[in-house]
């Protein structure tokens, strides 16, 4: 089964699967270019940046794979399962975990480096959204956070009376997210 949103770069579609594998598929022919195994079910979609495919798995790891051949570059351990997709900016990856933290992982070297982790007081089951100025994370605690990407400090917090299980989306100056009570919010992202 495929639960996450596929990522596309050029003529390649990248997708994670419940069979614990990441697949690269030719978008024109549908043929598999490569597949690479992880040690956990993948429920979020991959993120692709600078020739690297990043994917979180339910085995508590973020994996970095070479986009051309699928070779494993590294993996990084967070304390509990990852359900959402990672967000990637220049030399930084952001991923949420069921342990209630959003993790910032440096991707600029040969090995991943933990930069900071941010406590949300609820599982981060959805994908974060990252811009140049903020990382936005939602939690089952009913909070959405704007976080400084370099230091992991709270810029602002917005609280609702319901769980947030879907990831926020940023468009210009607005942040959109939905809750388990069926409400969709649009708030300023500044």
């Amino acid at each position: 089964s495929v639960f996450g949103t596929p990522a596309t770069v050029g003529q390649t579609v990248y997708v994670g699967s419940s069979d614990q594998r990441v697949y690269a598929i030719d978008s024109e022919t549908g043929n598999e270019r490569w597949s690479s195994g992880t040690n956990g079910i993948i429920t979020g979609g991959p993120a692709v940046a600078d020739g690297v495919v990043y994917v979180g798995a339910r085995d508590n790891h973020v994996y970095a794979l070479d986009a051309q051949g699928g070779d494993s570059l590294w993996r990084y351990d967070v304390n509990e399962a990852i359900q959402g997709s990672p967000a990637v900016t220049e030399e930084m990856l952001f991923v949420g975990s069921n342990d209630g933290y959003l993790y910032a992982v440096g991707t600029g070297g040969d090995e991943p480096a933990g930069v900071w982790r941010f406590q949300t007081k609820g599982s981060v089951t959805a994908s974060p959204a990252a811009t140049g100025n903020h990382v936005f994370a939602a939690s089952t605690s009913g909070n959405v956070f704007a976080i400084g990407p370099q230091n992991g400090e709270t810029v602002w917090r917005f609280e609702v009376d319901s769980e947030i299980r879907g990831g926020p989306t940023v468009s210009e100056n607005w942040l959109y997210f939905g809750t388990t009570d069926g409400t969709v919010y649009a708030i300023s992202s500044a």
Side-chain angles (χ1 to χ4, degrees):
S1 296
V2 174
F3 299 105
T5 303
T8 59
V9 175
Q11 295 180 337
T12 305
V13 178
Y14 301 94
V15 63
S17 177
S18 63
D19 68 359
Q20 303 182 12
R21 300 192 72 76
V22 178
Y23 294 90
I25 302 164
D26 185 295
S27 64
E28 290 187 5
T29 66
N31 293 333
E32 180 182 309
R33 291 188 173 174
W34 56 259
S35 72
S36 184
T38 68
N39 293 321
I41 293 171
I42 301 166
T43 56
V48 184
D50 299 322
V52 180
V53 179
Y54 301 97
V55 66
R58 302 287 305 255
D59 70 344
N60 312 347
H61 289 91
V62 177
Y63 291 83
L65 308 170
D66 175 66
Q68 291 299 311
D71 294 330
S72 178
L73 302 174
W74 52 257
R75 69 181 190 167
Y76 184 81
D77 186 11
V78 300
N79 293 322
E80 287 189 30
I82 299 168
Q83 294 186 53
S85 303
V88 182
T89 61
E90 282 189 36
E91 298 190 356
M92 192 84 78
L93 173 141
F94 305 96
V95 66
S97 172
N98 284 354
D99 67 357
Y101 285 94
L102 177 74
Y103 290 83
V105 181
T107 62
D110 292 337
E111 293 292 322
V115 178
W116 51 257
R117 68 182 191 159
F118 180 88
Q119 170 66 298
T120 68
K121 302 194 185 317
S123 293
V124 183
T125 60
S127 307
T131 65
N133 298 323
H134 301 99
V135 178
F136 301 98
S139 169
T140 59
S141 67
N143 290 284
V144 173
F145 299 91
I147 304 160
Q150 298 303 318
N151 59 17
E153 299 287 324
T154 303
V155 176
W156 54 256
R157 177 178 69 92
F158 185 85
E159 186 173 4
V160 298
D161 292 328
S162 187
E163 287 188 357
I164 305 168
R165 294 199 171 265
T169 298
V170 181
S171 176
E172 296 186 21
N173 296 321
W174 294 96
L175 183 75
Y176 303 93
F177 64 94
T179 63
T180 57
D181 71 1
T183 304
V184 176
Y185 289 85
I187 61 174
S188 171
S189 63

